[in-house]
Amino acid sequence: MTDLAPQTRSRVLSSLRTQRIETASWAYGNSGTRFKVFAQQGVPRDPYEKVADAATVHRFTGVAPTVALHIPWDRVDDYADLARHAKDLGVTLGTINANVFQDDDYKLGSVTNADPAVRRKATDHLLECVDVMDATGSRDLKLWFSDGTNYPGQDDVRTRQDRLAEALAETYARLTGDQRMLLEYKLFEPAFYMTDVPDWGTAYLHCVQLGERAQVVIDTGHHAPGTNIEFIVAMLLRAGRLGGFDFNSRFYADDDLMVGAADPFQLFRIMHEIVLADELDKGIAFMLDQCHNIEPKIPAVIRSVMNVQEATAKALLVDHTALRAAQQAGDVLEANAALMDAYHTDVRPLLRDLRADLGLDPDPIAAYRGSGYFERIREERAVGQAAGWGA
Amino acid sequence: MTDLAPQTRSRVLSSLRTQRIETASWAYGNSGTRFKVFAQQGVPRDPYEKVADAATVHRFTGVAPTVALHIPWDRVDDYADLARHAKDLGVTLGTINANVFQDDDYKLGSVTNADPAVRRKATDHLLECVDVMDATGSRDLKLWFSDGTNYPGQDDVRTRQDRLAEALAETYARLTGDQRMLLEYKLFEPAFYMTDVPDWGTAYLHCVQLGERAQVVIDTGHHAPGTNIEFIVAMLLRAGRLGGFDFNSRFYADDDLMVGAADPFQLFRIMHEIVLADELDKGIAFMLDQCHNIEPKIPAVIRSVMNVQEATAKALLVDHTALRAAQQAGDVLEANAALMDAYHTDVRPLLRDLRADLGLDPDPIAAYRGSGYFERIREERAVGQAAGWGA
Amino acid sequence: MTDLAPQTRSRVLSSLRTQRIETASWAYGNSGTRFKVFAQQGVPRDPYEKVADAATVHRFTGVAPTVALHIPWDRVDDYADLARHAKDLGVTLGTINANVFQDDDYKLGSVTNADPAVRRKATDHLLECVDVMDATGSRDLKLWFSDGTNYPGQDDVRTRQDRLAEALAETYARLTGDQRMLLEYKLFEPAFYMTDVPDWGTAYLHCVQLGERAQVVIDTGHHAPGTNIEFIVAMLLRAGRLGGFDFNSRFYADDDLMVGAADPFQLFRIMHEIVLADELDKGIAFMLDQCHNIEPKIPAVIRSVMNVQEATAKALLVDHTALRAAQQAGDVLEANAALMDAYHTDVRPLLRDLRADLGLDPDPIAAYRGSGYFERIREERAVGQAAGWGA
Amino acid sequence: MTDLAPQTRSRVLSSLRTQRIETASWAYGNSGTRFKVFAQQGVPRDPYEKVADAATVHRFTGVAPTVALHIPWDRVDDYADLARHAKDLGVTLGTINANVFQDDDYKLGSVTNADPAVRRKATDHLLECVDVMDATGSRDLKLWFSDGTNYPGQDDVRTRQDRLAEALAETYARLTGDQRMLLEYKLFEPAFYMTDVPDWGTAYLHCVQLGERAQVVIDTGHHAPGTNIEFIVAMLLRAGRLGGFDFNSRFYADDDLMVGAADPFQLFRIMHEIVLADELDKGIAFMLDQCHNIEPKIPAVIRSVMNVQEATAKALLVDHTALRAAQQAGDVLEANAALMDAYHTDVRPLLRDLRADLGLDPDPIAAYRGSGYFERIREERAVGQAAGWGA
């Protein structure tokens, strides 16, 4: 990094200083596969403890000041109290994630169910989530529907889209102020034949019909093999419909590994599109949605935040002038090299400097490990029921 | 089929009688992979001979009365004369396929090229294709762009979309009467990093911006692994944007095998969505786009037409009343069974009856083989340059 | 079927009469995804009730006389008593499936774990399963290892193979008489970066090193997209190493849907290789391994057994003489047609005849539904803890 | 790199100094897709000029001293003369690649063809390639077969394996001295239903039957989506059967892009397995097999060589002691971090130092561009027929 021009260095540091990454409450709880949920030590037992863990991540990284909630997993009696608790710990409550996939009634779908009573129940939950947003001051309602079918013929594709559109419209109408609806898509799982919102095209189509505050959210693990995710990023940016990301990484399906762990170059290419469009700090929600099934959760989240930072720093280093000149000249190798030069740069010294500037330990993982936080929660939370997806 | 109710039988036969499948002129010429084009005997040497082969397929199947052209592969001096030739042989000229991928100028793209002169040339070709349509009386202009990039950074994703939109708008404005623009998407090949129109979402977005006569065309070989194609069919039907199909089948990528050869159940599910929406004869273009690299071409096209017919017949046999009742009741197994019952039915006797009704031989392949047509063209076309993708 | 030659008909019926399909005890219990296990009514509460359900499937299909057990899910104090119970109901106990993936100790692997104590525990469980085989008289020990890693670098690939080889060797040495070891492979899930036995090559390599009674088992849902499964069937048949199948179907990953539901043509092609090699009744274990997450379990298993029967019947109808003649002549279309002719045949009337011959109701699903069995178990099993993967 | 310990630095540089990467003669000729071969300027017209281009790559990189030939593309009257020509330019002739896919006779297969005369012809070509090896002094015969089928039923899977085994055995028997046979596998293309050697399991099985000098070669673009290639590397290393690599990169299928361009992290993981097993200089052939369809060929090869060097340098930087300690302790995050630390290091300064030590320009691309070589060949080769796959 010695040869980084002072102006470049200053510009990059300035952007990195404003970056915000949201962590998810459920990432601190137990998770697993259909085969087994391996229990870990020190896992939070309620939303207050999840918020405390999220605050710990922010304390050591400095760029994760909000935590997303999942309703009903994070249902509390008094959301204002939870918000105060967060504030006391230096963070705020973020995106509200609706959950309409864990009730027996939803076996054949929630808002797309053939049974109008089930649809009513599901939509009521979505509306309840907006109530929660009102209480927490959250801007974004994130909707992921597990709805779909397992067998050809099981239900009618177009009718289910009609039902989906109806529930979305009712929920959208309930939003006020600058509240937004983020619609997520996913190719498969848990539905194995047809998913009602399987791709960005479907999410986009519904968002356009709803209105400007309906935006698409990209979960980086929700695509068919071979899908060019940064292309979708660029398309949605161009259409003004990119609401946010659920970051994680995958080798096969929705593996929900730490972002940047499977294909760091892809993460860089995604952030490059964001930087190119100058949208790093314009309202896109950068969220983590991961499952730390076998690795300790808090340091895994810290590592993930750092991975996003590193990808962003590299993206910020791309020489746009050189890039555009090579593109314009049709020089394939030089255009590619302009990108790769930035990617191959080791930005870790730069990020250590950033942290020092922010009054943080340059090595967040080591600082967390030395802080005694884990030893404390392991003891405090040794009794009681650890939080998990079913909790 | 003995237990098929007379009313059902009559309804199905009536629908099958109106079915129209368009064959492609280039399917009769030589084709291959990047590794080798294996020459075959009797291959047509010019568009007139291609039309003759298409007419032969229609003569034995009775449901393939149009043939699609590819410009410049099928460029002739006098399109009216070619149209007359077709008419004399009992067929008509169909969809005009533009080709902006075989000129050295298009190495880095056609309508999305960074060089405005190349874009102009490409768009001019699209306009020329509309001229051809005027001359041939074709309704549809089919656009597939090989445009894309091979390396990250090679060109700017959003800028290329802007250029694409501009070329499409100029071409769309040139359409008159009931002429339509069919926009095709493809995941990859020949571009290997990013394709400018890789998925239905992108094609749909552009079509909506263009106007009602811009429609999406689905090539069944152009998707990522695991993509549910019939879902896309249903989505585009619901949105009023399904312009047509390029039928073929694939095990891996864009293999361009005979439709129905790789996954006949998928073809049935696609036709089921068409029948469900009552769109079998409402304007959707059902086209074949295949490469018969190793099998004789004319009987391969005949077999493909028959495969579409069989899938359609099975789709027409689905008991919609039983299907909807099971769906409404949430009876997963019965709903699936309603579909499978139709799929498992052997419809070949029914199609033999249809052909007999139409005055055709019930076995088109055998009839073709016994007709002496191949022996004749093998001799007639023994000298000269066989047509191929480069011709 | 009216034109089926009497000799052909007799030959096919004779083969179908000897067909044996093994159902899995765990298919009758509750199952689901990581998102939710939807409880069903009438689900068995212990191995005895699972065996009763399996016997019910056999009662209505006539070709499912054995039931596979999963240890520890089906652990009982007295296996001889369970075997008697099975016999009383008209079935016998089949393959023993080891389970070394549901203990907290196995978080980082079982037989491949870096910790020798965990490896010892896992291998001891495998040996215990052979003890169970001795008690039940089961021929086959089926081994599937969830072992693998989630992150690059997490553990050493080759060292893990050494540990695997050691555990397999110790277990293999414990087998006596005609007991066999069936080694299963799986691309991914629950491990998301590297699975220790991900493909047939790995399973084959270990089996060859172990000895002749070590055989590969193919789960039809355990492959990468685009894998030609019938090719693997043929390769293992040629090498004398195909021990059996875990049948199910999938659109995306290891979806564990009813076999034949996603791609019935693929199932037919698999059975065609078996019939071609004359291995239908030579010792290959044909097992179902499915999860009926949303559909009622017993009729789903019945339907699956019927699907395998139908695919087998079609495979038996392939005219091998015509097929080989076309292959020898290099006639691509005729060779393919020889296969497709059999596939397109509606074999359901033939199977109805078979069942009538066997003294069964020609329609097993309807017969089951009319039998009152479900109503009885729904009531009997209304109280108590339903069996599931964790039970 | 300032904090790299002198000992580490010295060790890494020493290994990098001995690294050898073989380039392919055909990479310098024109190539393309089935849609279009875009001609480039300065493309060699015969094997002598291809060798000259390869020598140019070696001149600027210092680690590419051999060039692979493809027969018949590189057939010459006097191989000794071609070898002398190479030697004069500072390189030697490397692997001989057989080509049995470009003759009309091979439409339905070469060594697996149903016609014994075609098989004889194909095997004779393989034997001829060993003759060439004798003349050139090449160690390795690389065999890739495009053989396979496009349609189910087209030919018999097991019979084709028998024919394959026979041809391999005859060719293997012809090898003398330390000559080796490298058997390559590929999932698909140009065969679209079944490929006769589709995966490493098949190649391994044949190699084991042939003998120790039969080894598997891994083309990094020849796998199903989601395949863990470094796992296969480790398996073949453990089995003593890894003969070499055909390096390239891909996003979708066999895209044949510059190695390291699509997933540089994967390339690093592959080299990490090589380094872990201490096999960097023990006989594995590291070859490039790429198609530079749209980018200039010589700089693209130089870039590819540099990409392999960078991945190797990073792999050499992995702290094996820390890695194994974390693995042994079951510390998932630290084990992963040990790998990532090396990957994130910017090794370009180190490689510049290496080149300076070798008396080379630290920036091979710039040096090539400044050398005037391209301007010279563009002029010299302006007339005549450029070499390509069909030449």
Side-chain angles (χ1 to χ4, degrees), chain D residues 73-111:
Chain D
W73 296 342
D74 297 321
R75 196 174 269 155
V76 293
D77 291 335
D78 184 345
Y79 289 99
D81 186 65
L82 185 65
R84 271 190 304 274
H85 169 72
K87 200 179 170 192
D88 289 347
L89 295 170
V91 294
T92 58
L93 304 180
T95 301
I96 300 302
N97 291 261
N99 175 327
V100 283
F101 55 85
Q102 289 202 314
D103 191 290
D104 277 324
D105 280 344
Y106 300 144
K107 187 169 76 167
L108 302 181
S110 64
V111 296

Side-chain angles (χ1 to χ4, degrees), chain B residues 119-138:
Chain B
R119 296 204 297 272
R120 185 66 258 153
K121 173 176 173 171
T123 306
D124 282 345
H125 175 72
L126 303 187
L127 298 174
E128 178 204 346
C129 285
V130 186
D131 294 341
V132 174
M133 292 168 71
D134 290 341
T136 57
S138 300

Side-chain angles (χ1 to χ4, degrees), chain C residues 108 114-116 151-159 161-163 165 187 193-202 204-206 209 224-228 230-232 234-235 237-239 265 269 272-273 276-278 323-324 326-333 335-337 339-340, chain D residues 108 114-116 151-159 161-163 165 187 193-202 204-206 209 224-228 230-232 234-235 237-239 265 269 272-273 276-278 323-324 326-333 335-337 339-340:
Chain C
L108 301 181
D115 181 343
Y151 292 100
Q154 181 185 325
D155 203 359
D156 187 75
V157 179
R158 285 175 297 132
T159 305
Q161 290 294 322
D162 294 340
R163 297 172 190 147
L187 180 68
Y193 163 60
M194 184 272 292
T195 296
D196 288 309
V197 189
D199 53 22
W200 78 266
T202 305
Y204 168 81
L205 183 152
H206 282 286
Q209 287 176 350
T227 302
N228 184 327
E230 59 268 27
F231 175 85
I232 299 174
M235 285 300 291
L237 284 171
R238 185 173 176 272
F265 183 41
R269 299 193 309 262
H272 168 61
E273 290 298 329
L276 260 183
D278 194 23
L323 179 70
R324 292 197 194 283
Q327 289 174 345
Q328 199 57 38
D331 190 332
V332 175
L333 290 175
N336 177 242
L339 213 64
M340 300 312 289
Chain D
L108 302 181
D115 181 344
Y151 292 100
Q154 181 186 322
D155 203 359
D156 187 75
V157 180
R158 286 175 296 133
T159 305
Q161 290 294 321
D162 294 341
R163 296 171 191 148
L187 180 68
Y193 163 59
M194 183 272 291
T195 295
D196 288 310
V197 188
D199 53 22
W200 78 267
T202 304
Y204 168 80
L205 183 152
H206 282 286
Q209 287 176 352
T227 302
N228 184 327
E230 59 269 26
F231 174 86
I232 299 174
M235 285 300 291
L237 283 171
R238 184 174 177 271
F265 183 41
R269 299 193 309 262
H272 168 60
E273 290 298 329
L276 259 185
D278 194 23
L323 180 69
R324 292 198 195 283
Q327 289 174 346
Q328 200 57 37
D331 190 331
V332 175
L333 290 175
N336 177 243
L339 213 65
M340 300 312 289

